[in-house]
Amino acid sequence: MRERFFIISIFSVLFFCGCKERPAKAAERVERVRIEAPKFVADSAYRYTEEQLAFGYRIPNTEAHRKTAIFLAEELKRHGADTIIQRGKVTAYNGESLNIFNVIGSFAPEKQRRVLLFAHWDSRPYADYDPDKANHRKPIDGADDGAASVGILLEIARLIGAQPSNVGVDIILFDAEDYGKPYFFEGNSVVDDDWALGSQYWAKHPHIPGYRADFGILLDMVSGAGSVFPQEQVSMHFAPHIVKKVWNEAHKLGYGSYFPKNSGGAVTDDHLYINMYGIPCVDIIAYYPNSETGFPPYWHTLKDDMRNIDKNTMSAVGQTVLSVIYNE
Ligand code: AHN
Ligand code: ZN
């Protein structure tokens, strides 16, 4: 692929000279030569994960949650993104009103060609899949389920800030993904779709009216030791060409074992609402065919803590996403 690109660019330059095309136009083409992706630093992403956990549980309507939103926005801004916090109110399964904060950072907002990267930053208030029933109403750290995906995106933000990519990049850290009806709740949810409340809010109120991106990538539970990421089925349905692009890039980089090309589960996640909005996007998400839920064994338990976070897994995902972006 790289070879072919070089051949095309050299050919274009010769062709332009032959036709006496204006040098500015030739330069424009040359500028589009692929930029080498920067090297993902897992230590940095890992530290970002710990920093989020240090605020406490990132549960809407709490002080720790508000403080974490400000921290995330400040980090994106520090790395050079145009950053806003989109505030909203949403209704949870139990009728409770949640004050939510979608944190949004844009690199090179003037560029037409754009990629959207996203993850959820809130943490679940209930360990409702914990093997011990006494823990079901306790909150979880959400190290893999939330914080580490955000940690990877903050590290990517740092690298894009230091060395811009050809395409513009928007990073959205969605709130209230994980406030879905708990297992123990008796009765029906007062809302139709009780998961992914932050992305549902955004899809109804995009931060820029008519916002477009060429495609999007969601990271959800992408940092567990032993986790792998087969092709999630909602992604395959809406965006098979993006699945192909991302999984092929992983294989090219030598991360094929993390990104098997068989099909995984079908997950109701933030990417569903962004796909329905009209941006084709994929969910990179851990799939455990032998666990009851299809998710990691520590999913929505008190064990979703730093001990499961694996820097090698973080690198496989972070480097793959970076290479996709810098190849555009
Ligand atoms: C459902 O359980 C319907 N969706 C799971 C999405 C999720 C929760 N991802 C992380 N936590
Ligand atoms: Zn969750």
Side-chain angles (χ1 to χ4, degrees):
M1 191 60 198
R2 194 199 298 228
E3 285 78 3
R4 206 180 73 193
F5 201 93
F6 275 121
I7 291 163
I8 292 167
S9 13
I10 290 163
F11 177 75
S12 319
V13 171
L14 294 176
F15 182 73
F16 291 150
C17 298
C19 294
K20 297 203 168 65
E21 193 158 335
R22 293 207 323 281
K25 213 163 189 192
E28 223 173 81
R29 298 279 174 114
V30 172
E31 219 184 300
R32 279 183 64 169
V33 165
R34 160 180 169 155
I35 307 168
E36 191 69 37
K39 198 179 158 0
F40 184 83
V41 180
D43 285 330
S44 170
Y46 188 93
R47 199 169 330 114
Y48 271 133
T49 310
E50 292 179 312
E51 280 183 279
Q52 290 169 76
L53 265 53
F55 282 96
Y57 304 113
R58 286 94 58 215
I59 299 171
N61 297 350
T62 68
E63 193 56 27
H65 178 264
R66 270 187 291 277
K67 286 187 174 152
T68 309
I70 292 165
F71 164 74
L72 297 173
E74 277 173 354
E75 284 307 301
L76 288 174
K77 201 165 166 197
R78 190 164 73 83
H79 297 317
D82 280 10
T83 303
I84 60 157
I85 297 180
Q86 179 186 52
R87 290 170 171 74
K89 273 187 201 299
V90 297
T91 303
Y93 69 95
N94 56 359
E96 202 183 339
S97 172
L98 306 178
N99 294 303
I100 61 157
F101 307 106
N102 290 328
V103 181
I104 307 174
S106 296
F107 290 95
E110 74 287 354
K111 287 188 173 160
Q112 288 299 307
R113 297 178 61 234
R114 312 199 64 72
V115 177
L116 171 63
L117 305 179
F118 55 116
H120 79 87
W121 72 268
D122 63 306
S123 61
R124 181 154 179 80
Y126 320 110
D128 54 337
Y129 275 83
D130 199 274
D132 182 353
K133 206 172 167 225
N135 293 331
H136 285 190
R137 287 159 202 271
K138 294 181 187 165
I140 65 172
D141 279 356
D144 192 25
D145 192 356
S149 304
V150 170
I152 290 173
L153 292 187
L154 290 177
E155 168 60 2
I156 289 175
R158 183 182 74 81
L159 295 166
I160 294 173
Q163 186 201 316
S165 51
N166 282 331
V167 284
V169 175
D170 301 296
I171 294 178
I172 306 189
L173 309 175
F174 285 117
D175 199 355
E177 188 276 338
D178 231 346
Y179 217 97
K181 183 164 85 84
Y183 185 57
F184 54 77
F185 184 77
E186 312 262 353
N188 293 322
S189 170
V190 306
V191 291
D192 290 335
D193 306 313
D194 51 345
W195 297 91
L197 299 174
S199 54
Q200 290 190 62
Y201 180 89
W202 181 90
K204 286 190 202 113
H205 313 279
H207 66 293
I208 296 168
Y211 170 85
R212 306 293 345 149
D214 298 291
F215 65 91
I217 302 174
L218 166 61
L219 304 185
D220 190 11
M221 301 189 279
V222 291
S223 302
S227 287
V228 296
F229 316 105
Q231 301 177 332
E232 189 274 334
Q233 290 176 41
V234 173
S235 312
M236 279 305 284
H237 173 79
F238 283 100
H241 56 304
I242 309 303
V243 170
K244 207 167 170 189
K245 188 197 284 273
V246 173
W247 266 253
N248 281 351
E249 192 59 40
H251 281 247
K252 232 191 281 174
L253 292 172
Y255 295 125
S257 63
Y258 288 95
F259 286 82
K261 290 182 176 177
N262 58 305
S263 101
V267 184
T268 301
D269 208 338
D270 291 318
H271 71 315
L272 174 63
Y273 301 98
I274 306 308
N275 271 305
M276 294 194 321
Y277 171 84
I279 298 170
C281 52
V282 301
D283 190 4
I284 304 178
I285 183 165
Y287 180 59
Y288 283 69
N290 298 326
S291 97
E292 217 177 286
T293 59
F295 295 129
Y298 49 82
W299 181 72
H300 293 182
T301 77
L302 294 188
K303 285 218 167 92
D304 183 2
D305 60 25
M306 286 308 291
R307 285 173 298 181
N308 291 303
I309 303 301
D310 179 3
K311 290 179 186 172
N312 295 315
T313 313
M314 291 185 118
S315 289
V317 172
Q319 194 64 62
T320 297
V321 173
L322 272 173
S323 292
V324 168
I325 290 167
Y326 282 81
N327 272 327
E328 287 294 314

